[in-house]
Each structure stands twice: as C-alpha cells, then as structure tokens.
Amino acid sequence: MNKIKMTNPIVEIDGDEMTRVIWEAIKDELINPFIELNTEYYDLSLKNRDLTNDQITIDSAMATKKHKVAVKCATITPNAQRVKEYDLKEMWKSPNGTIRAILDGTVFRKPIVVKGIEPFVRTWKKPITIARHAYGDIYKDVELIADGPGEAYLCFQSINGKEEKIMVHNFKDKGVLLGMHNLDSSIESFARSCFNYALEVKEDLWFGTKDTISKKYDHHFKDLFQEIFDNEYKEKFSDLGIEYFYTLIDDIVARIMRSEGGMIWACKNYDGDVMSDMVASAFGSLAMMTSVLASPEGFYEYEAAHGTVTKHYYQHLKGAKTSTNSMATIFAWSGALRKRGQMDNNLELVSFADKLESTAINTIEEGFMTKDLGLMSTLENVKILDTFEFLKAIRKNLNK
Ligand code: NAP
Ligand code: MG
C-alpha cells in the first residue's frame, strides 16, 4: 500500500507518563502504517523541560506559530511533590499556560459522542463545545481580608493624570474584598477565536454573562462581542445559516439543559472552568473529551482534555495491565492531521483523519472498549479491552 504523503509538517509535542506511552502506541498502530508522517518533534517531558530550563516549551509554541498546526500529548504540571520526584531545578509553570499565552488562543472542548454511552441529560443528542476565555477575572485577581471596620475603594489612576475612585463598601465589621480585571485585547481575541471557530465547524455560537448585574464589567464583554460580530462576522454567519446568540448566563444554562446540543458555548474564564467539567461528566467521561487551542490568527493546537493518567502509568511500569482509553489522544492526532490536510489541500490526509475517527467510534459501537466506558455502556455485547488491545482492535478495523 502507498502511504499518504504530507507536504508540510505538524508540530509534535510529546509529554509525560501514561499518555506518553499511548502516544508511541497510537503512532505505531494507527498512523505510521498509513502515513509518511512529517512532524517537527518537541519533547516536553518534565525531564527535558527541566534540562532546557523550559525553553523547549517556548520553542514548541514558536514552532506552532510557524507551522500553524500542532498536536500535544498531556504533560505534568509540577507541584511540590513532582519537584521532589523529578529532582527539578524549579517548579516550572504549566506548559499549557505558557503555550496559550504565546498563541493568545481560546480552548475549545468537545465530547466524542458514541452509541451506548448515553449523556446523563436525556435531551442531549449532539456534542456541546465549551469555549473558555483563558485570561483574567478571578484567575488574576487580588484579594484582601478586611479585618475590621473601614472603607474600601476601587481606584484607577490614568497615566495622563486623571483619577477615578468609587467606594466598594463601608465596612462596619470584618469582611472580604477582591479586585479583578480583563483586557480589551484579550476579550477581542477571545471573541474572534469563537466566531472563527463557529464558521469553521458551522455551528451556532452562544454567549452569556451576568450583564444585568455587572453593568460595566460583564456588559463590556457583551458589547465587544456584539461590535466585532456586527462589523466582521454577521454576513459570514448568515451565509452559512448559523447564528450568534447572546443572553444572560442563567438563561443560557436553562436553555442548554433543554437543548439537543450541537452548539458552541462561549464562557468567561470562571464559567468555562466550571461548565466544562459539567459538560464532560454529563457526556460520560473525561477520556472522551477533545480539546483544541485556536488562536484568532489561525494557529491550532490539538490535545486530549485529560491529564497524564499517573495511576495507570505506575501500574504499567510494574508490568500490570492498564485500562487507559486513548480516544481523546487519537482525536487529537486526527484533528491535527485533518487541519494540516485542509491547509495544504491534501484531500487524502483529510479523508484519512475522517476514517480514523469513524473507525475508532465504530470499534466502540461494536462493543470493544476500555473499562471506563465498559462500566457505563448500555450495549449488550460489551468486551472490555486493556490499553493496547483497544488500539489493536481499532487497527484491525482500520486495516479493513
Ligand atoms: P488525569 O491524568 O486526567 O487522571 C485522573 C483519573 O481520571 C485517572 O486516574 C483515571 O481514573 C481517569 N482518567 C483520565 N484519563 C483517562 C483515560 N484516558 N482513560 C481512562 N481513565 C482516565 O488527572 P490527574 O491524575 O489529576 O493528573 C495527572 C497529571 O496530569 C498531573 O501531573 C497533572 O499536572 C497533569 N495534567 C495535565 C493536563 C494537560 O497536559 N492537558 C491536564 C490535566 C492534568 P482511574 O484511575 O479511576 O482509572
Ligand atoms: Mg476545572
């Protein structure tokens, strides 16, 4: 068989632990036999990040800007215990945070829907994609404990000398305080990433904030979205027959629960943090959640939403069987290959990505799956496979 050729490379960002193990296995079983894979490889294993003083993370993000498409394996974000375990020079920052800051992107998370794994919400038939703004609000706030009576103010000193000051509260007793901010440039990038993504996948875009209560802060998000939509996207949306819909966040929540799904739900930073966990668990499993970082300039980085599955890795090292579900990582690869194919007008590559996804889904729908799904499946003929047997089952179907 002739392997599919690639003109331009994908940036391949390798990672840690069990996901690093399945990364190799996915390439061996499902990609290398069919494609003459062309990647620019970056090893973001914690050891190598430490060795390069985290320069490798920055390099991988710069390479993504250059080649426009990347696929990333899950990586350890070190904490105190990891610093000890890996004897690190420093507690390096989250690679995802570093890459996101460089690409200025928005993260879109979408569940993989298969027959036999029914969403807990009965009406949901199609996947719901969460787009989370990844800058500011409470994630960059400053906080104070007011430890007795006193006056708290919010104050802005402009560099041109103007000062604005308003009272937050006149405390009669103890209490708490926080100050937070966001940036027009970041909100505008977020809006454009969302509008571009909606055009690309041809789905409606919903956005909600609490603008009735937060008349300046949240209202500003609403206004910037509307302005960008009206000036840059309105016609393109109507040409495709898709819609941009804004309403209050509580109204969105109520409507989402009664909907069939199939839309992109843009969320402010905190709302996205909370709602993506809700959507992921309601659709069944974190192992079935895909994730893509899309920037307004058209850079894409595909990954799985889950972590490095540490517990499984230590079982694997002991030689025990594991039950790591590789679906989200397979879809990260297929997503990146499809995008590469679309950018390079390589129809064979696009069609391979489609086949890889449909074959993986069919394999589960035929009853072959890892334990996480096996425990939830409503199919009658479930056959539970270990990490590597599951990949071999997909390979067998892909050969066909
Ligand atoms: P995790 O790796 O997502 O795993 C948590 C648990 O969820 C696992 O123990 C497993 O449950 C289940 N699970 C997750 N993915 C699965 C899969 N593909 N197949 C089957 N089960 C799966 O989260 P964590 O243990 O909190 O984090 C481990 C490391 O990952 C941390 O060092 C963290 O920094 C890193 N992390 C990285 C990313 C990223 O790179 N994007 C994201 C999150 C976390 P059972 O043990 O019950 O089977
Ligand atoms: Mg969270």
Side-chain angles (χ1 to χ4, degrees):
M1 201 190 75
N2 284 333
K3 288 194 195 181
I4 299 166
K5 294 197 172 44
M6 295 172 62
T7 26
N8 291 303
I10 285 175
V11 178
E12 176 183 353
I13 307 176
D14 208 346
D16 291 299
E17 298 191 318
M18 198 60 197
T19 40
R20 189 181 179 95
V21 174
I22 61 174
W23 192 260
E24 254 334 286
I26 289 170
K27 286 201 293 177
D28 285 349
E29 287 288 349
L30 305 179
I31 296 175
N32 286 328
F34 306 97
I35 294 178
E36 247 173 55
L37 192 59
N38 178 3
T39 70
E40 197 170 295
Y41 181 83
Y42 291 84
D43 180 6
L44 261 60
S45 63
L46 188 48
K47 250 194 221 136
N48 199 40
R49 278 180 273 151
D50 197 48
L51 206 69
T52 62
N53 298 325
D54 212 23
Q55 185 59 40
I56 190 76
T57 306
I58 295 165
D59 292 347
S60 74
M62 298 317 282
T64 306
K65 279 193 160 183
K66 180 172 169 206
H67 298 296
K68 299 195 168 67
V69 187
V71 57
K72 180 181 170 291
C73 179
T75 45
I76 293 169
T77 297
N79 53 17
Q81 181 248 320
R82 297 292 199 170
V83 171
K84 236 195 203 156
E85 181 185 350
Y86 283 81
D87 191 20
L88 301 179
K89 293 182 226 166
E90 254 183 58
M91 198 187 290
W92 304 109
K93 284 196 236 154
S94 151
N96 285 19
T98 304
I99 295 171
R100 203 156 55 210
I102 294 174
L103 299 184
D104 186 23
T106 297
V107 175
F108 296 84
R109 292 204 158 166
K110 183 177 195 172
I112 304 162
V113 174
V114 295
K115 276 194 214 94
I117 311 295
E118 304 302 329
F120 290 103
V121 179
R122 259 179 297 138
T123 51
W124 290 359
K125 304 275 182 271
K126 295 181 232 161
I128 294 167
T129 302
I130 297 274
R132 174 182 170 188
H133 186 207
Y135 179 83
D137 301 350
I138 63 162
Y139 301 87
K140 284 226 185 289
D141 73 351
V142 287
E143 309 195 356
L144 267 183
I145 304 271
D147 67 353
E151 292 174 356
Y153 292 93
L154 192 61
C155 164
F156 176 66
Q157 287 174 323
S158 164
I159 58 161
N160 60 33
K162 217 178 117 204
E163 188 180 290
E164 269 189 273
K165 188 173 172 186
I166 49 173
M167 183 178 277
V168 176
H169 192 67
N170 186 354
F171 286 91
K172 303 289 177 234
D173 203 345
K174 292 180 179 180
V176 283
L177 269 164
L178 83 79
M180 63 186 198
H181 77 280
N182 222 299
L183 306 172
D184 281 18
S185 60
S186 174
I187 300 167
E188 287 163 3
S189 283
F190 173 47
R192 289 197 177 90
S193 297
C194 290
F195 291 131
N196 288 339
Y197 191 81
L199 288 173
E200 188 186 322
V201 298
K202 300 184 184 61
E203 287 178 5
D204 291 344
L205 177 71
W206 291 15
F207 182 41
T209 71
K210 197 69 184 171
D211 64 283
T212 47
I213 299 296
S214 173
K215 289 189 168 62
K216 295 228 163 73
Y217 199 105
D218 277 18
H219 213 286
H220 200 59
F221 278 77
K222 176 184 175 181
D223 289 345
L224 289 178
F225 263 70
Q226 195 62 50
E227 195 182 304
I228 291 174
F229 180 70
D230 290 343
N231 293 337
E232 300 169 32
Y233 292 95
K234 203 170 193 164
E235 266 175 48
K236 294 178 195 155
F237 268 56
S238 84
D239 287 349
L240 277 186
I242 58 172
E243 183 182 17
Y244 168 57
F245 173 61
Y246 179 90
T247 182
L248 275 178
I249 179 85
D250 8 3
D251 187 34
I252 293 254
V253 168
R255 286 170 187 259
I256 288 275
M257 296 316 267
R258 292 190 309 261
S259 79
E260 276 200 353
M263 72 289 285
I264 301 155
W265 178 7
C267 292
K268 286 178 63 204
N269 209 347
Y270 173 81
D271 300 337
D273 185 353
V274 177
M275 292 306 169
S276 65
D277 282 3
M278 183 191 77
V279 169
S281 39
F283 270 104
S285 163
L286 197 56
M288 297 290 276
M289 201 70 172
T290 64
S291 184
V292 55
L293 174 70
S295 84
E297 291 157 283
F299 312 132
Y300 295 84
E301 185 227 282
Y302 293 83
E303 61 174 330
H306 59 77
T308 58
V309 213
T310 311
K311 260 165 52 189
H312 296 198
Y313 180 59
Y314 284 100
Q315 274 174 292
H316 172 73
L317 287 183
K318 278 190 253 161
K321 282 201 171 195
T322 51
S323 57
T324 316
N325 181 348
S326 47
M327 283 296 276
T329 306
I330 294 171
F331 272 63
W333 273 100
S334 58
L337 291 170
R338 179 184 296 106
K339 180 55 77 185
R340 183 79 276 164
Q342 287 166 343
M343 284 182 178
D344 299 349
N345 209 3
N346 184 342
L347 300 182
E348 269 190 309
L349 197 58
V350 173
S351 144
F352 175 79
D354 292 343
K355 276 178 203 146
L356 177 55
E357 289 180 2
S358 59
T359 307
I361 288 174
N362 287 341
T363 305
I364 294 176
E365 293 183 346
E366 284 168 5
F368 301 97
M369 61 194 82
T370 44
K371 193 181 70 190
D372 55 318
L373 297 186
L375 297 174
M376 290 186 291
S377 178
T378 56
L379 298 179
E380 273 162 22
N381 55 337
V382 169
K383 178 134 185 5
I384 293 186
L385 306 178
D386 73 20
T387 306
F388 302 101
E389 289 166 349
F390 177 60
L391 285 170
K392 288 207 156 55
I394 300 175
R395 168 67 182 279
K396 211 170 126 198
N397 285 338
L398 199 57
N399 283 340
K400 283 187 221 159

